[in-house]
Amino acid sequence: MKLYVSVDMEGITGVPDDTYIDSSKHNYERARKMMTDETNFVADAAFQFGCQEVLVNDSHSKMNNILIDELHPDALLITGDVKPFSMLQGLDHTYGAAMFIGYHARAGQAGVLSHSMIHAVRNFYINDHIVGEMGFNAYVAGYFGVPVVLVAGDDQAAKEAAELIPNVTTVAVKETISRSSVKSLTPKKAGELLAEKVTAALENRHMVKPLIPPEKPILKIEFNNYGQAEWANLMPKTEIERGTTIVRYEADHILEAYKAMLVMTELAMHTTFS
């Protein structure tokens, strides 16, 4: 079978704050190495299980973080941006399962570096159901009939995954103390745990159903301030809900909603005031 692996950085073992996830800061190169090593534990376990293909999609920031020269030699890597489907680029119905590695909790929730795509976003809604990156991405996977069988990150990401996807395997590689401090496993111990859980998730993959998105979903994005909503409202077919910072978009399917979200969040980054 083919396995799809989306890898973010905030939920990687030992990462507590933005000095690790920002390419301009001093701990970033350390985090790249840890992110690559963690991905390798997942890929190695998947190949040992019998997967014929492991496609890794670098899903953090500019999406060029994973060190390809240190990646498992049999893995395939999608790196860089712009990618039309961002954290889910390359996924389609030919994959038997998906895994989300290094993920974090959604905006406004407890959890290390919790947010939803950009810090300008307070909430994403799909038909009035609040989701974060994890939920939105799981819906896209579900559109292709692909179950998300494993989610790894901090304890709050694991909790969010368990509430979202019945029977999903979760791996908490670190425990939240605050939004910028953690009690973490060492990379070696986390890697051993990940390898064990990847095997278990693949063995139990038939117990996890794809998270099927609603037909013609209504996407709503609640921004932190009205200026961000105004920028997002430059996207055709959108409207700002009166008296709020919520921008609404009626999509034909979840893939259109996902692309609309990417465009609106990119526009909203033009204003950063609170």
Side-chain angles (χ1 to χ4, degrees), residues 54-248:
V54 175
L55 177 61
V56 176
N57 183 25
D58 191 325
S59 299
H60 175 70
S61 189
K62 294 300 181 181
M63 303 188 175
N64 57 2
N65 313 279
I66 291 174
L67 303 169
I68 192 169
D69 50 328
E70 296 184 22
L71 189 63
H72 191 292
D74 295 322
L76 299 170
L77 177 66
I78 295 177
T79 182
D81 70 354
V82 175
K83 297 188 291 194
F85 290 102
S86 188
M87 300 177 79
L88 276 298
Q89 187 65 38
L91 181 62
D92 61 31
H93 69 280
T94 65
Y95 288 86
M99 295 184 178
F100 295 164
I101 307 299
Y103 269 52
H104 52 81
R106 62 183 174 84
Q109 302 302 297
V112 182
L113 295 164
S114 57
H115 67 280
S116 296
M117 294 302 287
I118 63 170
H119 295 298
V121 170
R122 188 171 296 165
N123 284 304
F124 291 139
Y125 298 87
I126 300 293
N127 288 10
D128 293 322
H129 176 64
I130 296 178
V131 295
E133 293 171 29
M134 185 191 306
F136 216 146
N137 291 345
Y139 271 141
V140 172
Y143 176 87
F144 293 111
V146 179
V148 178
V149 300
L150 181 143
V151 174
D154 73 341
D155 56 334
Q156 297 304 308
K159 178 183 176 184
E160 184 176 323
E163 293 172 351
L164 181 72
I165 307 165
N167 300 318
V168 68
T169 298
T170 61
V171 189
V173 299
K174 54 192 177 186
E175 180 182 328
T176 301
I177 296 173
S178 70
R179 194 173 176 275
S180 57
S181 61
V182 297
K183 177 182 176 182
S184 180
L185 298 176
T186 62
K188 184 176 186 298
K189 287 295 183 183
E192 292 171 356
L193 179 61
L194 269 168
E196 174 188 321
K197 293 291 189 176
V198 166
T199 300
L202 290 172
E203 287 175 344
N204 298 328
R205 65 189 184 280
H206 300 299
M207 297 175 60
V208 184
K209 295 181 179 179
L211 191 66
I212 304 300
E215 295 183 5
K216 295 188 177 298
I218 297 173
L219 166 67
K220 294 195 289 188
I221 304 179
E222 183 180 11
F223 291 95
N224 288 326
N225 66 58
Y226 199 80
Q228 293 155 349
E230 287 177 320
W231 270 103
N233 187 220
L234 295 178
M235 171 79 177
K237 293 175 56 179
T238 62
E239 60 177 316
I240 300 176
E241 295 192 349
R242 184 182 297 272
T244 75
T245 59
I246 295 173
V247 182
R248 173 190 175 100

Side-chain angles (χ1 to χ4, degrees), residues 15-32:
V15 171
D17 58 44
D18 68 351
T19 66
Y20 287 78
I21 63 171
D22 184 334
S23 62
S24 69
K25 297 188 176 178
H26 64 283
N27 280 316
Y28 171 69
E29 290 301 327
R30 295 177 62 199
R32 295 184 74 190

